[in-house]
Amino acid sequence: MLASPLSVVPGIIISMTQSSTGAALHALARTHLPADVAEKWIGLLRPGIRLVAADEGEPVVGQLGGRPALPEGVEWPVWEGNGPLSFIASVDCAALPVGELDVALPVDGTLAFFYFDGQLGEHGEGFLSGDDPDGAAGARVLYIPAGAVTTERPTPDGLDAHPAVRLTARLTVTAPDHYHHAAEEVLKDVDVPDELDDAINDVMGDVGHRIGGHAVPVQGPVEEEVAHGLLGPGTSWKDPRMAEEARRWTLLAQFDTDDEADMMWGDCGALYWLIRPEDLAAGRFDRARITMQCC
């Protein structure tokens, strides 16, 4: 259930963003699509959390960059044969409006995201794609339980920590990309006007940093990239198994290129962590997969 614009959840007041975004998307669908198709498309909208740099006095729900706080006995993630991963971001689940989402994100504890960002690769290479058969080892999501005693860890030799940027949260409404499997099914018999796609993109805004909801892709559905990587690089993109596998994945988090945090993913791209809902509900974050898209 979507919250009202004045709802209060731990650590955040839900602003008009969710209400106004949802209303705008509803209006666009009903203006540009046949009535029955519009209602089906509206049914695909999902709540998500947008993460933005926190202004003075705003509740802080996490951070980009800086140094992570890890429990005793938890080693800094390393990609064997390549080196340590860079710390990308962390979020405090108890400070997020997780109860407003349609996925079973933990209600407390911290999620910490690590990625092999190419600092240790030859000539700055090392970026992962969903098709990399070893890609799962080059990215990691750690869940740190609430109440765990943690200490801030120094960045391993050879890596430069990304500058820390404190984040606050905005509950919003997200729409599927036009080529997302669910949207394609709803829109398959409709000529979608270009102005509808343009207007939806304007409402959704830039790619941004997000938790849950639909991904905002740079280059097509991220679910298909993860599916293709799992089925094998030789798999045809038209293989029926692709759509079946893509439907099993949902966005956990995405982190955009960010100048303040000195993060550049390819050519102004973004990182996407996806997970199967049953693995998310069971806390199996080691099964999350990553893909990176750029212009």
Side-chain angles (χ1 to χ4, degrees):
M1 181 181 70
L2 298 184
S4 74
L6 298 181
S7 296
V8 179
V9 294
I12 180 175
I13 297 177
I14 301 171
S15 70
M16 292 298 293
T17 302
Q18 183 191 26
S19 178
S20 59
T21 300
L25 291 171
H26 285 218
L28 286 170
R30 289 168 178 155
T31 298
H32 294 284
L33 297 172
D36 58 333
V37 176
E39 296 311 309
K40 291 178 181 178
W41 186 85
I42 288 170
L44 300 178
L45 301 179
R46 299 177 58 202
I49 300 170
R50 184 175 175 87
L51 303 173
V52 298
D55 291 330
E56 189 68 31
E58 287 191 295
V60 174
V61 304
Q63 70 179 48
L64 294 174
R67 303 202 300 183
L70 300 178
E72 183 179 352
V74 174
E75 300 295 329
W76 188 290
V78 171
W79 186 3
E80 188 174 351
N82 292 277
L85 310 185
S86 292
F87 174 58
I88 304 304
S90 63
V91 292
D92 176 3
C93 295
L96 296 174
V98 296
E100 306 295 330
L101 299 181
D102 59 359
V103 291
L105 206 71
V107 298
D108 55 22
T110 298
L111 293 177
F113 298 84
F114 293 81
Y115 175 64
F116 190 79
D117 62 5
Q119 290 190 50
L120 298 178
E122 184 178 359
H123 307 302
E125 297 176 356
F127 292 105
L128 303 175
S129 73
D131 280 348
D132 190 329
D134 299 320
R140 203 78 52 85
V141 182
L142 300 183
Y143 174 67
I144 302 164
V149 178
T150 61
T151 56
E152 191 175 90
R153 299 291 182 85
T155 302
D157 292 342
L159 293 180
D160 292 325
H162 292 280
V165 176
R166 301 189 309 165
L167 299 172
T168 194
R170 304 276 189 271
L171 190 62
T172 188
V173 176
T174 66
D177 177 68
H178 180 71
Y179 296 104
H180 185 277
H181 55 82
E184 280 195 328
E185 179 63 26
V186 167
L187 301 173
K188 63 182 178 181
D189 297 322
V190 178
D191 289 328
V192 180
D194 290 340
E195 55 264 36
L196 175 57
D197 275 341
D198 293 341
I200 290 171
N201 290 336
D202 288 342
V203 170
M204 290 289 290
D206 59 2
V207 174
H209 314 303
R210 300 174 188 265
I211 300 289
H214 288 293
V216 183
V218 178
Q219 294 277 2
V222 294
E223 297 86 356
E224 290 189 4
E225 290 189 3
V226 168
H228 195 255
L230 289 168
L231 293 173
T235 304
S236 168
W237 288 88
K238 295 182 179 181
D239 189 314
R241 295 177 300 163
M242 281 283 297
E244 181 181 354
E245 184 62 39
R247 289 187 179 95
R248 300 185 64 193
W249 293 84
T250 190
L251 181 72
L252 174 60
Q254 67 181 50
F255 295 104
D256 201 358
T257 288
D258 191 295
D259 291 341
E260 289 187 56
D262 194 22
M263 293 180 179
M264 173 69 79
W265 311 124
D267 184 7
C268 296
L271 305 179
Y272 302 86
W273 270 272
L274 286 86
I275 194 167
R276 291 171 175 151
E278 62 270 24
D279 288 330
L280 177 57
R284 296 188 288 255
F285 293 100
D286 59 312
R287 298 188 182 182
R289 296 293 297 239
I290 194 172
T291 191
M292 188 272 284
Q293 293 186 346
C294 63
C295 299

